[in-house]
Amino acid sequence: MEHKTIGNTGVKIPPIIFGTSALGNLYTALPYETKLAIVSECLKHVPKPVVFDSAGKYGAGLALEELGRILHQLNISPDDVAISNKLGWIRMPLLTPEPTFEKGVWMDIQHDARQNISYEGIHECWEQGNALLGNYKPALVSVHDPDEYLAMATDKAHFNKLFSDILEAYKALGSLKKEGIVKAVGVGAKDWTTIRMIANEVNLDWVMFANSLTIYRHPQELLDFMDELHKKGVAIINSAVFHAGFLTGGDFFDYVKIKPDSEVNKSRFQWREEFFSVCKKHNVLPANACVQFALTAPGVVSISLNTSNPARIKDNVQSVNCTIPGDFWKEMIDRKLIDTDYYSYLKF
């Protein structure tokens, strides 16, 4: 498993990085022993440095806190891990029966959180994140969910104000990098056009696309943008490549539960049925096909995968390391399950 260096930052990342939302009690409150096992398995199956992607939003800082606690308990050297902290949410006291942010998402957490995107706000998030992590300091930083922040705009003037907040936040990240406190500045979003907007204004070292470039959906406009980033030396991390589990048999598509009750949803279920059929014919696991496809796009250096099940870590690593037969890709294209124009990106 070969690590690749992000530009001239000196940060080396393997082809798989690990999300940590499960450590923040996403959808279920995992026992500490399970969280310990998750981190242990990540460290066991990937050569060092192992990369963990976290955020102050995950469980109102609980994920950062648990990650730092577990790494310390396992006596892991800070040099053996690289942590990405997505900044923009800050832990607050819990003053209501349940947290006021993302209700019904984070289970059994003891704090609330509020968005904090500004020059000063990002510095506050940075300091708090470091306190939660303890002995471990993030090498990679970004502004968390800028697309969702912009989606709050009520009109053009409000949108411009929110975008100005984001650019001020990136000035703060730039100052941290200039001082040598962090090594690499990036951006991640579900709406890739927001990444393009920010990339036009900010010198980025890396970007993370979510729910954007997948075996199911791979628009040429996005591929052209990824090619531009690649030529500039910007590293690309691909994430959410299963569309929230739908492509491997789940009931959620991009985090929304769906049924075949509309023409759009019917087409999604039909695509998945044909996809499963091709996978079965060629003895390919759907998850492996999704991951391997996600690695083929221009500039992609790593896949971010997340699980709440320690037993899945080894399988996730195998998905990155496996080989998919060329006949599988050819049939996917022949059956128009992959766009014909994508043929040139597939190497077989």
Side-chain angles (χ1 to χ4, degrees):
M1 184 174 286
E2 181 183 356
H3 286 61
K4 293 185 178 179
T5 303
I6 296 179
N8 60 0
T9 66
V11 178
K12 295 182 178 180
I13 63 173
I16 179 173
I17 69 176
F18 299 104
T20 60
S21 56
L23 303 185
N25 292 357
L26 178 68
Y27 301 130
T28 184
L30 295 178
Y32 179 74
E33 293 73 17
T34 301
K35 297 178 182 180
L36 179 66
I38 290 172
V39 176
S40 297
E41 285 294 296
C42 295
L43 294 163
K44 176 181 177 181
H45 292 290
V46 173
K48 297 176 178 61
V50 179
V51 180
F52 293 97
D53 178 57
S54 198
K57 187 180 184 181
Y58 295 166
L62 179 62
L64 291 167
E65 197 169 32
E66 296 284 64
L67 179 61
R69 177 186 175 192
I70 291 168
L71 292 174
H72 179 71
Q73 180 177 334
L74 295 174
N75 197 30
I76 302 301
S77 168
D79 294 333
D80 289 338
V81 295
I83 296 172
S84 169
N85 189 6
K86 301 190 289 283
L87 306 169
W89 289 82
I90 194 161
R91 172 182 281 189
M92 302 293 292
L94 182 61
L95 304 176
T96 51
E98 66 172 323
T100 58
F101 79 109
E102 294 193 328
K103 294 181 179 179
V105 173
W106 306 101
M107 301 293 107
D108 194 25
I109 61 174
Q110 307 306 311
H111 299 86
D112 208 342
R114 66 171 173 82
Q115 210 155 28
N116 203 26
I117 296 179
S118 66
Y119 187 92
E120 296 79 10
I122 287 299
H123 277 293
E124 290 176 11
C125 293
W126 165 254
E127 294 294 341
Q128 186 182 83
N130 290 347
L132 293 170
L133 283 167
N135 296 331
Y136 304 88
K137 301 295 184 288
L140 300 92
V141 290
S142 61
V143 175
H144 199 181
D145 293 335
D147 48 345
E148 294 182 8
Y149 189 66
L150 293 174
M152 297 189 301
T154 55
D155 54 34
K156 182 63 175 177
H158 190 204
F159 181 93
N160 291 338
K161 169 61 171 63
L162 296 176
F163 191 60
S164 177
D165 291 343
I166 291 171
L167 295 183
E168 285 299 307
Y170 272 100
K171 286 181 181 179
L173 297 184
S175 70
L176 291 174
K177 183 183 176 185
K178 187 176 181 180
E179 294 171 31
I181 298 172
V182 302
K183 295 182 178 179
V185 172
V187 60
K190 300 179 185 71
D191 182 350
W192 69 268
T193 61
T194 299
I195 294 177
R196 184 170 60 183
M197 286 178 56
I198 293 171
N200 287 336
E201 303 289 338
V202 178
N203 290 324
L204 299 168
D205 300 306
W206 59 273
V207 302
M208 178 185 286
F209 294 104
N211 295 331
S212 299
L213 195 288
T214 70
I215 195 170
Y216 173 76
R217 183 167 60 202
H218 36 276
Q220 188 61 48
E221 187 180 9
L222 171 55
L223 288 165
D224 292 341
F225 175 53
M226 294 173 79
D227 194 45
E228 290 176 19
L229 292 172
H230 182 43
K231 290 176 180 176
K232 292 179 181 178
V234 179
I236 297 173
I237 300 167
N238 210 346
S239 69
V241 299
F242 308 126
H243 286 290
F246 182 80
L247 299 189
T248 54
D251 297 326
F252 289 78
F253 185 93
D254 290 357
Y255 311 106
V256 177
K257 192 169 186 177
I258 67 168
K259 298 185 295 184
D261 53 1
S262 68
E263 289 306 312
V264 170
N265 286 345
K266 285 178 183 177
S267 68
R268 288 169 175 165
F269 278 89
Q270 182 179 350
W271 186 96
R272 186 174 71 176
E273 185 177 341
E274 292 188 50
F275 171 53
F276 284 174
S277 174
V278 179
C279 286
K280 184 176 181 180
K281 177 179 176 180
H282 294 276
N283 196 29
V284 170
L285 292 175
N288 289 358
C290 292
V291 169
Q292 284 299 312
F293 181 92
L295 283 165
T296 62
V300 174
V301 299
S302 188
I303 299 292
S304 179
L305 296 176
N306 191 25
T307 183
S308 59
N309 181 0
R312 282 288 308 163
I313 302 295
K314 185 177 181 180
D315 293 335
N316 286 347
V317 174
Q318 176 59 27
S319 291
V320 170
N321 287 334
C322 74
T323 300
I324 305 295
D327 287 347
F328 170 83
W329 298 125
K330 290 176 182 177
E331 182 161 353
M332 289 288 289
I333 291 173
D334 289 344
R335 294 175 65 160
K336 294 183 170 52
L337 297 174
I338 293 175
D339 294 343
T340 304
D341 292 342
Y342 201 87
Y343 189 91
S344 60
Y345 296 104
L346 296 170
K347 299 178 178 61
F348 55 85

